[in-house]
Each structure stands twice: as structure tokens, then as C-alpha cells.
Amino acid sequence: MKYLPLQCLALAFMLLASALSVPARVQSPQSEEQVMYEVHPGKVSSQITVGVLIFPGFEMLDAYGPMEMWGSLKHAPARFWGGEEKRVGVKLVTIAATRGEIPSNQGPKTVADYSYADSPKLDYLLVPGGVGAVPLVNDTATLDWLRDQATRTKIVMSVCNGASLLAAAGILDGRPATTNKMAFKDSTAPGPRVNWVKQARWVDDGAVVSSSGVSAGMDMTLAVISRLYGQPLGDWLEQITEYDAHRDPSWDPFAVKAGLVR
């Protein structure tokens, strides 16, 4: 027993020598071609502003699904943009009749950054739907603001019965558009001069793009982003959000389930 301390000391030295003899693993930095997500966004060549209309009773996924896609673009490496000189910065803003907290249909509130009176210049506008959109088809202030924005923005997009607001404002007159299938009759009522498409995941009419219900807004957004900035960027968004997008705008089993088509 009197030799036990020396034995322990010898064993400790052996273990230390063994550990020192093993080369440390040094993780080599990823090459530019391997980086998939830039935590600290790089420089941009231009800036756009995407505005999202919110109102009491807006549908959360209608708004936040597309916002996730637009807001994630800043993390895309330059190669997905087609080069550093093509990278675009995206500023997301929320707008309501008045600034402040706006309750969603699901309960949680979102703060409106701007009101109709002081909303900034927008490049693109997204109009979600929800139960709160129903009374707004008769709201003069909202419809006037939408008409004004439609003349200023490059693209106006709607999700679900957000199309009802665009229809009531006359923005969809003479255009093809779609909306929620389970509430198709009520959602299309404000637009008798709209060419409503019963079976469509989304309808892209250039300056105005409309989508079917709720989750369809994400497919529409990916399609719009891919059209504007290239399919590689849309593919990247699908991968980093782990979203299995529908790329066919005519894919719409919900129109069948709702009895709109056979």
C-alpha cells in the first residue's frame, strides 16, 4: 500500500503523455462554396422594402409564412444570388390603420411599425387574410390605402381572403386571381369583375399575385422570389426553412375537397 501514491503518479504521467501524443483535431474553415447560411449577412448592392398589412383578426401564417421567406433572404450567400453584386437587402415592415399592437386571429399580437398615414415607400406589399378581413371590405380607409399602394408598389400579393380586400378596392378587376377554397363563395363576393380561378395554388398576374388559403402563401412567396431573383435562391430558401414547397401553381386538391371542381 505504501507504493500506491507513486503508482498513481506514474499512471497520471502515462495518461498525460498519451493525450499529448494525439494530434488535436483542428476544424478547417468552410470554403465559400460550402457555406450555406451567413449568420452575419454580407454587403448588399440594393435595398427593398416589403410591407405587410395587418389588422385585428389577421391570420398568422398568412403573414408570417411569407415574412419568414422574405426575412431569411439576408442570410443567403452571394452565390445563390448569382454574385455579390446582385445581393439585395430586404427590410420587412408591418402596417396597420394605426400603429401599435394588433391582435391576430390566433391571439398573439404583432406590433404595427407604421400606420396608413405614415407608411414608407414600399417595393412589395403583402395582404394576408383572416376573419378580420371580412369587415374591412367596407372600410374606406383601408380600401383607399390599398388603391394608393397598388399604384406605387411593384407587386401586390394576397394570401387567402386577403384577395377579398384587393377585390373590394378594385385592384383585381379584370385580372385572374384566387383565394381560400373553403370560403370561396364569400371570399369572391366583393369582386364581381374579377376572373376568379377556382383551382390554383396561386395565380401570378405580374404586378398582382394571389394565393389560396393560409399555407399557400409560402408557395406563392417562393415563386415570386424565384421569379425576381432566380430559382437557386428559391431552392435555398426551401432548404434552409426545411419546407417542401409546391412549385406547380395549378396544384390544388383543396378545390376538389371544397367541391369547386371535380
Side-chain angles (χ1 to χ4, degrees):
M1 294 295 293
K2 64 180 179 179
Y3 297 110
L4 184 58
L6 291 176
Q7 292 173 334
C8 290
L9 185 60
L11 179 60
F13 274 117
M14 290 173 61
L15 291 173
L16 179 61
S18 175
L20 292 175
S21 66
V22 178
R25 290 186 177 181
V26 179
Q27 186 174 358
S28 59
Q30 289 182 308
S31 67
E32 189 174 329
E33 291 72 26
Q34 293 174 315
V35 174
M36 285 296 294
Y37 188 93
E38 291 189 356
V39 177
H40 304 291
K43 293 181 180 179
V44 299
S45 60
S46 60
Q47 186 82 29
I48 64 169
T49 301
V50 179
V52 180
L53 174 67
I54 56 176
F55 43 82
F58 75 93
E59 193 72 19
M60 289 192 72
L61 190 58
D62 284 16
Y64 276 92
M67 287 170 73
E68 171 71 26
M69 302 303 177
W70 284 108
S72 293
L73 285 177
K74 63 179 177 286
H75 296 293
R79 68 182 187 278
F80 293 101
W81 288 96
E84 197 75 40
E85 71 283 359
K86 295 182 180 179
R87 193 201 298 261
V88 176
V90 179
K91 180 180 180 182
L92 271 173
V93 298
T94 49
I95 304 157
T98 57
R99 288 188 182 193
E101 294 183 341
I102 307 297
S104 66
N105 183 41
Q106 285 68 36
K109 298 174 182 178
T110 294
V111 175
D113 301 313
Y114 298 94
S115 69
Y116 293 162
D118 65 1
S119 60
K121 182 182 183 303
L122 304 177
D123 293 282
Y124 307 117
L125 170 64
L126 177 78
V127 180
V131 295
V134 177
L136 289 184
V137 298
N138 296 309
D139 183 73
T140 301
T142 298
L143 300 184
D144 286 347
W145 183 80
L146 285 172
R147 290 189 196 99
D148 181 59
Q149 291 302 314
T151 66
R152 299 169 182 267
T153 59
K154 299 171 185 175
I155 300 177
V156 177
M157 297 161 280
S158 67
V159 184
C160 198
N161 66 326
S164 298
L165 297 180
L166 299 187
I171 297 169
L172 297 181
D173 284 357
R175 291 181 176 273
T178 196
T179 185
N180 183 291
K181 301 311 177 329
M182 295 301 293
F184 194 80
K185 182 178 179 180
D186 291 337
S187 297
T188 59
R193 292 181 293 277
V194 180
N195 300 325
W196 293 107
V197 182
K198 292 182 178 180
Q199 186 169 18
R201 184 69 169 169
W202 72 90
V203 173
D204 189 338
D205 194 42
V208 180
V209 188
S210 55
S211 78
S212 188
V214 198
S215 65
M218 293 186 289
D219 292 335
M220 174 193 71
T221 302
L222 287 170
V224 169
I225 289 173
S226 297
R227 166 160 71 88
L228 294 173
Y229 304 113
Q231 190 59 52
L233 200 55
D235 295 343
W236 176 83
L237 280 168
E238 288 183 39
Q239 184 171 349
I240 62 105
T241 58
E242 296 193 358
Y243 179 64
D244 186 13
H246 297 285
R247 298 190 181 187
D248 179 3
S250 66
W251 180 88
D252 189 8
F254 302 102
V256 178
K257 294 179 179 180
L260 298 176
V261 296
R262 294 184 178 181

